[in-house]
Amino acid sequence: MTNQSDIKKLAEQMASSMKSFDDIKDFQKQLMQSFIDTALEAEMEEHLGYPKHEKADRPNKRNGHTKKRVRSDTGELEISTPRDRDSSFEPVLVSKHQTRISGLDDKIISFYAKGQTTTEIVETIKDIYDVDISSSLVSRVTDNILDDITAWQNRPLSSVYPIVYLDCIVVKVRQDKQIINKAIYLALGVALDGKKELLGMWLSENEGAKFWLGVLTELQNRGVQDILIACVDGLKGFPDAINTVYPNAQVQLCIVHMVRYSMKFVPWTDKKAVAADLKAIYGADTLEMAEANLEHFDEVWGKEYPHVIKSWRNNWEGLTVFFGYPKDIRRVIYTTNAIESLNSVIRTAVNKRKVFPSDQAAFKVVYLATQQASKKWSMPIRACCHHQHARFLHRWLTHLIILDQSNPIQSNLGEVGIRKPRMTDRLSEKTITIKMAKS
């Protein structure tokens, strides 16, 4: 392996002949080409069993070279592949019929994940690497991930997820010479260790509770025995669809969605005051205080904004589920911030494309965007603004399952990685709440 001093000496020798970045790029291209030619000669030597120019009494010998052009992220290269007389040599580094060197495909997929169209990728590859590729090549490269998507979408899942966020984003797809809106459904789970995991994604022409019922049934078929808390928007029939598949799941309607909906009816002059009074409702310490603050809101704003108070009262049961849990992790439950941050990554990629030529094209871009986002999910979600509380999330969620005697996985806790408490543990929801508050 070349050490740092050798590299520095080589750089000093070449510095006098290089006057621009184009010169450096050309040198890099020549270096890559020379390396490949040398490596292929070494492969041929290993195949024949004797070095070049050495006489050997063997039936198979070298038989010249075949020149071909390959595309790479350093530019287009012309390499010489050695041949043997009986055509038994199979090069490994650059195989027969290979026209692209590993690295270029990764660049194409990376640009595709960022939302570039096939035409834009062709132009970008040309501008950066001075390599000519076609739009059909870009399509073939990105189609290679379809098998990965199928395997990912059908992978087995954990038996239980304490929290699952269910949401969808809308994309525009060209179909039958028309541009129509289609919904991509997302299910983001929080595992027992507090880490996020995208459970799956599905595409349909519109968002509806009936389709969500099919999504939840598929999750069940893939191994999810139970969901403790499902965080959703206010789609009609959504809670019923969830409880049909997971009857013990509690359904929390997203407070953020509700506040946004409420503010649509409020003019700019009152927005600040109304927002503060709404926060007093969902930010209350107890359910009783929240109900009192709702009554106060009705007295102050009810006549002026009847649609707002009516909406809160009609959805009160679903909006207040989080009050039954420790204050430290309520924000994790009553907002869909976890999935909204994922949606923002997806929208960045989707908005660059504007309109997708097919369902498959839309699905590929969204999948690649989610894979990019998931690389940052190495840490558990934070239960509140304090870092030290994150480690209590796992402990609290685990004992929540243990304490829930109606949970169907009570009989096989060991199979989902949960240890039943010993008599000396004596942990209760109240005890855990106190411990979290003290920390």
Side-chain angles (χ1 to χ4, degrees):
M1 197 75 178
T2 306
N3 56 40
Q4 195 67 31
S5 61
D6 291 337
I7 295 174
K8 188 175 181 179
K9 288 178 182 178
L10 178 61
E12 290 172 351
Q13 293 172 6
M14 301 303 300
S16 59
S17 61
M18 296 184 185
K19 306 299 182 183
S20 66
F21 280 107
D22 286 338
D23 292 338
I24 296 174
K25 190 174 180 179
D26 288 340
F27 173 70
Q28 184 182 15
K29 185 176 176 180
Q30 294 170 24
L31 195 63
M32 174 66 80
Q33 188 167 305
S34 178
F35 166 76
I36 293 174
D37 288 345
T38 303
L40 291 173
E41 288 291 349
E43 287 188 31
M44 176 60 83
E45 183 177 319
E46 178 71 20
H47 174 68
L48 295 177
Y50 64 91
K52 193 175 183 180
H53 306 304
E54 181 179 297
K55 291 184 178 180
D57 186 17
R58 302 190 185 186
N60 193 18
K61 300 181 184 299
R62 285 177 172 78
N63 190 31
H65 295 78
T66 298
K67 290 187 178 293
K68 71 173 181 179
R69 293 182 178 274
V70 293
R71 305 180 185 97
S72 74
D73 52 11
T74 57
E76 192 168 68
L77 309 175
E78 186 178 83
I79 63 173
S80 296
T81 304
R83 299 194 307 255
D84 58 343
R85 289 185 177 178
D86 62 9
S87 300
S88 60
F89 176 55
E90 294 290 342
V92 176
L93 183 62
V94 182
S95 61
K96 292 178 180 179
H97 311 298
Q98 182 178 338
T99 58
R100 301 186 310 278
I101 293 178
S102 179
L104 187 62
D105 287 10
D106 294 338
K107 297 291 190 303
I108 291 173
I109 290 175
S110 176
F111 291 136
Y112 197 85
K114 290 179 173 64
Q116 288 194 3
T117 64
T118 53
T119 303
E120 289 171 340
I121 293 173
V122 169
E123 294 171 353
T124 302
I125 295 293
K126 177 63 177 177
D127 291 342
I128 298 177
Y129 305 113
D130 194 26
V131 174
D132 292 314
I133 61 174
S134 64
S135 296
S136 60
L137 171 63
V138 174
S139 297
R140 289 198 302 272
V141 170
T142 55
D143 282 347
N144 289 336
I145 68 168
L146 293 176
D147 289 341
D148 294 337
I149 295 176
T150 301
W152 173 81
Q153 186 71 14
N154 292 285
R155 75 195 189 282
L157 300 171
S158 299
S159 299
V160 61
Y161 288 91
I163 303 174
V164 173
Y165 305 95
L166 302 169
D167 201 2
C168 86
I169 62 168
V170 177
V171 296
K172 295 184 180 297
V173 180
R174 195 180 303 278
Q175 181 175 299
D176 299 329
K177 298 181 180 181
Q178 292 182 325
I179 296 175
I180 63 174
N181 289 334
K182 292 200 174 185
I184 294 184
Y185 298 74
L186 302 169
L188 181 69
V190 178
L192 285 171
D193 59 2
K195 293 181 180 179
K196 293 184 288 185
E197 177 189 353
L198 187 63
L199 308 184
M201 46 187 279
W202 302 262
L203 189 143
S204 176
E205 287 198 13
N206 47 55
E207 183 180 15
K210 185 177 181 180
F211 191 87
W212 273 117
L213 179 61
V215 167
L216 293 162
T217 302
E218 181 180 318
L219 293 179
Q220 188 180 58
N221 293 337
R222 288 168 58 196
V224 181
Q225 295 181 30
D226 198 25
I227 294 171
L228 302 186
I229 305 167
C231 302
V232 302
D233 59 17
L235 180 67
K236 187 176 181 180
F238 209 161
D240 292 336
I242 295 169
N243 289 136
T244 298
V245 183
Y246 297 106
N248 295 304
Q250 290 186 297
V251 181
Q252 169 67 50
L253 299 181
C254 178
I255 294 291
V256 174
H257 279 76
M258 193 63 184
V259 171
R260 287 175 184 167
Y261 173 78
S262 300
M263 300 308 287
K264 289 181 180 179
F265 300 97
V266 182
W268 182 84
T269 53
D270 289 341
K271 279 187 182 295
K272 190 173 181 179
V274 171
D277 285 346
L278 287 176
K279 187 173 183 180
I281 298 173
Y282 64 82
D285 290 334
T286 64
L287 178 60
E288 290 73 20
M289 290 178 63
E291 290 171 342
N293 291 339
L294 180 66
E295 294 301 327
H296 173 73
F297 184 92
D298 194 358
E299 292 173 6
V300 176
W301 305 106
K303 291 182 180 179
E304 199 162 354
Y305 307 115
H307 291 294
V308 175
I309 191 66
K310 181 181 178 181
S311 181
W312 279 79
R313 289 193 184 281
N314 289 344
N315 294 285
W316 187 247
E317 185 177 352
L319 290 168
T320 56
V321 169
F322 69 93
F323 280 109
Y325 299 91
K327 189 174 181 180
D328 302 82
I329 67 162
R330 286 179 185 176
R331 188 175 180 82
V332 176
I333 300 171
Y334 74 66
T335 71
T336 54
N337 287 350
I339 200 165
E340 287 292 342
S341 63
L342 173 62
N343 286 348
S344 67
V345 175
I346 296 172
R347 287 192 185 99
T348 300
V350 167
N351 290 342
K352 291 179 180 178
R353 295 293 295 263
K354 304 298 181 184
V355 179
F356 291 93
S358 65
D359 291 354
Q360 190 180 84
F363 210 80
K364 285 191 294 184
V365 168
V366 174
Y367 169 77
L368 290 170
T370 61
Q371 295 305 296
Q372 290 292 323
S374 65
K375 292 178 181 179
K376 300 179 181 179
W377 297 346
S378 57
M379 297 295 291
I381 58 174
R382 287 163 57 184
C384 64
C385 57
H386 302 296
H387 285 288
Q388 64 266 33
H389 285 152
R391 68 181 184 273
F392 288 93
L393 182 62
H394 167 62
R395 185 195 306 177
W396 183 81
L397 291 174
T398 300
H399 284 277
L400 176 64
I401 298 171
I402 295 171
L403 292 165
D404 182 7
Q405 297 301 319
S406 64
N407 197 294
I409 64 168
Q410 282 287 324
S411 59
N412 60 340
L413 292 175
E415 293 182 15
V416 295
I418 300 174
R419 177 185 64 81
K420 285 189 176 182
R422 296 184 295 269
M423 291 297 293
T424 54
D425 288 345
R426 298 190 180 278
L427 279 169
S428 66
E429 183 175 330
K430 183 178 179 180
T431 304
I432 297 167
T433 307
I434 294 171
K435 286 188 176 183
M436 292 178 70
K438 287 182 177 180
S439 63

